Amino acid sequence: MQATRRYWTIAGLGMFLTGLALLLARPFLLLGAAGLAAWLLTKQYAFVRALTRTVEDLTVEQSVPRERVATETETTGRLRAELASASPLDIIIEAQPPVTATGSTRANRTLTIERGTREAMTTVPLRWPVAGSFSFDRPTITATDTDGLFREQLVRGSTPEVIVEARTPSDIHIGTGGERTMQAYGQHESAQRASGLDPGELREYIPGDAAQRIDWKATARMNQPYVREYEIEIDYTTALVFDHRSAMGRGNDGETKLDYARQVALAFVDSTREADDPLGYYAVGETGCTDRREPKTSQYELIKRRLRELQPMNSDKAQSRDSSTRPSTARRVKAQLTGTDSFDSTLRPYFDTVVSHNDTPQDNPLFETVRNHLAQRHNSLLTVLFTDDTYQAEVRETVQIARRNGGRVLVFLTPSVLFDPGGLTDLEAAYDRYRRFEESRRQIDRLDRVSAFEVGPGDRLDAVLSSGRRRRSDARGAE
Amino acid sequence: MRCFRPADGDARTREGPSSCSILFGRFVEKVLHLSLNITGTKSRAIHSITMATAAAERITAPDPRQWLAVFGILYVTTVLGVIKGLAGVLVGVGLVGVWYLSSLVGAFVFGNIALLLFPDVIALGFPFALVEAGFGCLLVSSASRTDSPWRIGAVTGGVFILLAALIPIGLGLFEASWFVALCLVVVVAVLAYGLHRYERFTMDLVEAS
């Protein structure tokens, strides 16, 4: 209970009368002080009594229309209070949304129950910029008596929870040439048959088979020796290589190339966990490998968390690369140095030493990451690559080196044409760009032990393909 | 004249002319001085109390239903008028004015201080008790604004009588008025703190140690 300034003013008057009684030697003034004290004590007792009854009768409820919302959405919370019987106190109730929720002011979070009224309600506008799980604090109730002498603050009421989920891409298309592909991931069966762990099919005994492989139960049933073959379950070591360079940040908020690739990668991690395969993780940025986890079976959740936290790298870092040091620039210059004059003959030896692949990771970070960390591994390595079509030559080189030593490669490519922020304003030009992307994807897909898929928004891809079909039909009609 | 606005901390705000109450206090002081030739000390005391009352945060206009307060003021005015004549009536008028401009509490304080002007009334004993009973009505009448006016009024009257009884008993036992005053302050403080702790316990605001 807090005493207000009015209380202390009146208490001060009482002390003044007491002092005056002593100063003027008039003890009767102590009666005045006693009267004021009695009045204050009675008011305090009345406040306590009214407050107890009010709190017993009061029901305060905070609620939200949906328990799950997406980030940056606006919702309307509700604050409602009801009294079983009217209270002699003035009651002010303030909703307590989570700190991360914005959009509300103190005025619209506050509810007042006037003396004599029994219920009140208000709506609270809320906006959720941050993803996560949040709960409301209990509402704050401030009760004040009619004379303005005492005030009490309590917390009562419900504490609803809200789960704010990050915006994720919808209508994710995974396919080849516009056709959606269904992929099932599960236990891998090797093409080899040997005396392994899981029982396979029965066959008749042939001379040369080891005696311990004879299935005696089947032999007893069939009256001649039978041998059971076993299937070996091989654990594929999987390496997830995720490109998060600045080009992957292209697209609308929450629907960038990286967002789409991330959703597929997360699903892939879940599939790998079901197969209980060792999984490694390599994030590639502008400057090279930015995050690395060697393949293990116990880090699926960690990798998923790293994927969720991944953001496209700053495009300034991409632009800071000096184009004059690129090998393509060097080769172009070398091609021009064909003359016999002293200028060309002096410079040509320097450009003769250009190697086909750059030595600096900054130029081909994806390639360098795979080469340095994965290329030397055993043939049971499955490399899963998530990137886009910005650096097509580098992707081809990376796939080549990844499938060395018998490894398999899965490539998920996000076509840039489907992620232009302005939308598909020129569908015909977009279709041409998509065709070039599809050509590049097929080149990669034709390689042995390599599968390449396109990943992007299905609705946009349909619009682009429709434009292509219309163009073809118009061309046939013109013929 | 500008209106006085209560400071922060009060749920309700009421308006009233504080400068009016100050001017009225000065007017009352002048009238008393002219009619009674009172000393400078007493006039300054009345003036300062009037200002302090007017400076109270909450200024309440008289409620026509507060019959007990009206009765109390009329009663006091009648008793003082019978005993002291015009001066007594003027004190009654002053009570009304302070009540209108400030509050019943202010009127109660004003009335007690105004008794300084009538030491013979105090000395008489019984008339003094009659006047104090009238002042007590002002305090009890404020209970009419609660949800249980009879209960709260009875509690107010009972606590007033109990505390008032302590004064003559204390003076009879100890003879030192400063000690009696100190005991009164301590008793009131203990009672107030006890109510405060009881409220915190009831509202479950007491932290477990």
Side-chain angles (χ1 to χ4, degrees):
Chain A
M1 181 190 322
Q2 300 166 10
T4 63
R5 278 170 52 173
R6 185 163 192 255
Y7 175 90
W8 293 115
T9 302
I10 296 173
L13 282 176
M15 293 302 297
F16 175 77
L17 286 178
T18 306
L20 202 61
L22 298 178
L23 188 68
L24 301 178
R26 294 286 187 269
F28 80 91
L29 286 173
L30 291 177
L31 280 174
L36 286 180
W39 187 81
L40 287 175
L41 286 172
T42 309
K43 286 294 183 184
Q44 188 177 3
Y45 163 72
F47 176 72
V48 171
R49 194 165 158 273
L51 181 67
T52 306
R53 213 167 58 230
T54 299
V55 170
E56 281 174 5
D57 291 347
L58 182 65
T59 305
V60 179
E61 185 187 334
Q62 289 180 128
S63 61
V64 287
R66 298 192 303 275
E67 288 184 356
R68 287 183 176 269
V69 297
T71 51
E72 300 300 335
T73 54
E74 291 185 359
T75 59
T76 302
R78 194 176 76 155
L79 177 66
R80 185 172 164 275
E82 186 179 355
L83 281 166
S85 57
S87 170
L89 305 176
D90 290 324
I91 300 169
I92 297 174
I93 303 172
E94 184 178 349
Q96 300 292 334
V99 174
T100 56
T102 60
S104 66
T105 61
R106 192 162 190 185
N108 54 32
R109 282 200 307 267
T110 302
L111 185 65
T112 301
I113 303 181
E114 302 281 347
R115 271 180 301 124
T117 58
R118 287 179 49 196
E119 67 176 318
M121 193 188 75
T122 187
T123 54
V124 183
L126 297 168
R127 190 179 165 85
W128 307 92
V130 179
S133 176
F134 308 103
S135 69
F136 285 62
D137 289 332
R138 297 166 86 181
T140 303
I141 303 168
T142 304
T144 313
D145 68 326
T146 55
D147 295 293
L149 296 170
F150 304 101
R151 187 193 319 122
E152 182 60 275
Q153 215 168 54
L154 309 163
V155 286
R156 293 287 191 273
S158 57
T159 56
E161 285 195 5
V162 175
I163 296 173
V164 184
E165 295 168 328
R167 286 189 178 274
T168 54
S170 57
D171 190 22
I172 299 176
H173 165 89
I174 306 171
T176 55
E179 297 294 325
R180 201 177 286 264
T181 304
M182 298 298 294
Q183 281 286 342
Y185 296 95
Q187 297 283 353
H188 319 293
E189 289 186 359
S190 74
Q192 306 168 16
R193 289 192 175 276
S195 54
L197 297 172
D198 284 347
E201 60 183 34
L202 279 172
R203 65 171 172 80
E204 285 189 14
Y205 175 86
I206 54 176
D209 288 334
Q212 61 263 28
R213 290 178 58 201
I214 296 175
D215 189 319
W216 296 108
K217 288 183 182 174
T219 301
R221 278 200 310 272
M222 304 297 184
N223 285 328
Q224 51 182 328
Y226 273 81
V227 167
R228 186 176 292 279
E229 289 190 346
Y230 289 84
E231 292 176 355
I232 296 176
E233 282 187 358
I234 295 180
D235 286 335
Y236 270 114
T237 299
T238 307
L240 217 127
V241 181
F242 202 100
D243 183 355
H244 71 109
R245 289 178 282 185
S246 58
M248 291 291 284
R250 193 175 179 84
N252 296 325
D253 282 344
E255 294 176 335
T256 61
K257 285 191 253 182
L258 188 141
D259 293 322
Y260 275 81
R262 187 195 344 248
Q263 291 303 112
V264 178
L266 289 172
F268 197 89
V269 172
D270 288 335
S271 169
T272 309
R273 174 160 52 185
E274 285 175 15
D276 207 24
D277 287 339
L279 178 65
Y281 169 69
Y282 304 86
V284 178
E286 305 288 354
T287 53
C289 185
T290 58
D291 193 7
R292 177 163 67 100
R293 304 293 301 184
E294 294 297 327
K296 265 192 281 190
T297 55
S298 57
Q299 56 185 5
Y300 304 110
E301 280 305 317
L302 173 66
I303 291 173
K304 287 181 76 170
R305 191 163 61 242
R306 296 285 176 93
L307 281 168
R308 288 195 192 100
E309 292 169 354
L310 208 56
Q311 294 295 326
M313 283 196 76
N314 195 342
S315 59
D316 291 342
K317 287 184 183 171
Q319 290 168 6
S320 66
R321 290 169 49 183
D322 184 4
S323 62
S324 66
T325 61
R326 291 185 187 166
S328 56
T329 307
R331 282 192 287 273
R332 198 165 50 247
V333 171
K334 181 186 172 185
Q336 294 170 0
L337 297 173
T338 54
T340 55
D341 55 357
S342 58
F343 179 79
D344 287 357
S345 57
T346 303
L347 287 179
R348 197 179 300 115
Y350 293 97
F351 289 92
D352 283 341
T353 58
V354 172
V355 297
S356 59
H357 300 292
N358 281 331
D359 294 329
T360 54
Q362 287 85 351
D363 293 321
N364 287 314
L366 188 65
F367 175 82
E368 289 300 323
T369 299
V370 171
R371 187 180 75 163
N372 294 336
H373 300 293
L374 301 176
Q376 309 304 323
R377 286 187 177 266
H378 194 262
N379 64 356
S380 64
L381 177 69
L382 170 64
T383 304
V384 185
L385 204 56
F386 294 89
T387 183
D388 67 340
D389 59 346
T390 304
Y391 309 101
Q392 294 180 14
E394 185 191 10
V395 172
R396 281 195 292 273
E397 291 170 3
T398 305
V399 169
Q400 291 281 16
I401 201 167
R403 72 189 189 100
R404 210 186 281 177
N405 294 332
R408 290 176 51 204
V409 184
L410 275 178
V411 185
F412 292 94
L413 294 166
T414 51
S416 299
V417 62
L418 300 181
F419 291 90
D420 283 337
L424 301 170
T425 49
D426 186 348
L427 282 175
E428 296 210 355
Y431 180 70
D432 290 334
R433 288 173 62 192
Y434 177 75
R435 281 180 59 187
R436 287 194 289 276
F437 160 80
E438 177 60 16
E439 238 175 77
S440 170
R441 187 200 64 78
R442 284 184 188 174
Q443 282 182 9
I444 298 171
D445 192 66
R446 276 196 281 269
L447 297 171
D448 279 346
R449 300 188 305 283
V450 177
S451 299
F453 300 94
E454 63 199 3
V455 175
D459 54 348
R460 285 196 171 193
L461 180 60
D462 289 341
V464 169
L465 294 175
S466 299
S467 166
R469 283 193 287 270
R470 253 197 321 274
R471 189 202 292 184
R472 284 197 298 273
S473 65
D474 289 346
R476 274 199 293 271
E479 288 172 2
Chain B
M1 286 179 285
R2 293 190 331 187
C3 288
F4 173 78
R5 291 198 177 276
D8 291 339
D10 291 341
R12 292 188 315 156
T13 60
R14 302 291 296 273
E15 297 179 357
S18 65
S19 53
C20 279
S21 63
I22 294 170
L23 288 175
F24 185 77
R26 288 182 184 158
F27 170 73
V28 168
E29 178 194 2
K30 275 194 180 306
V31 167
L32 290 173
H33 181 76
L34 287 172
S35 63
L36 300 172
N37 292 321
I38 54 178
T39 65
T41 303
K42 291 176 184 174
S43 68
R44 276 197 290 277
I46 293 172
H47 173 67
S48 61
I49 289 300
T50 305
M51 287 186 66
T53 306
E57 302 287 307
R58 182 164 300 280
I59 300 173
T60 311
D63 187 339
R65 296 172 297 172
Q66 292 184 356
W67 56 270
L68 190 57
V70 174
F71 167 77
I73 288 180
L74 286 176
Y75 172 78
V76 168
T77 307
T78 305
V79 170
L80 286 177
V82 165
I83 298 173
K84 300 303 296 184
L86 179 63
V89 173
L90 286 176
V91 169
V93 172
L95 282 175
V96 173
V98 174
W99 178 25
Y100 182 77
L101 294 173
S102 174
S103 63
L104 281 171
V105 173
F108 175 83
V109 173
F110 171 79
N112 273 275
I113 294 182
L115 285 181
L116 285 170
L117 304 173
F118 312 122
D120 49 339
V121 172
I122 298 167
L124 288 173
F126 182 68
F128 171 70
L130 288 178
V131 172
E132 280 295 332
F135 288 150
C137 292
L138 302 183
L139 292 180
V140 172
S141 71
S142 72
S144 65
R145 292 195 301 166
T146 67
D147 56 342
S148 304
W150 294 106
R151 179 201 295 258
I152 300 301
V155 170
T156 307
V159 174
F160 183 29
I161 291 170
L162 278 173
L163 291 176
L166 287 177
I167 298 169
I169 293 172
L171 287 172
L173 286 175
F174 304 109
E175 294 187 0
S177 56
W178 68 268
F179 188 74
V180 173
L182 180 64
C183 290
L184 182 66
V185 169
V186 169
V187 166
V188 171
V190 167
L191 289 173
Y193 185 71
L195 272 174
H196 167 73
R197 294 296 298 181
Y198 170 73
E199 182 266 343
R200 288 190 65 80
F201 174 76
T202 308
M203 292 296 111
D204 201 22
L205 295 172
V206 177
E207 293 176 3
S209 58

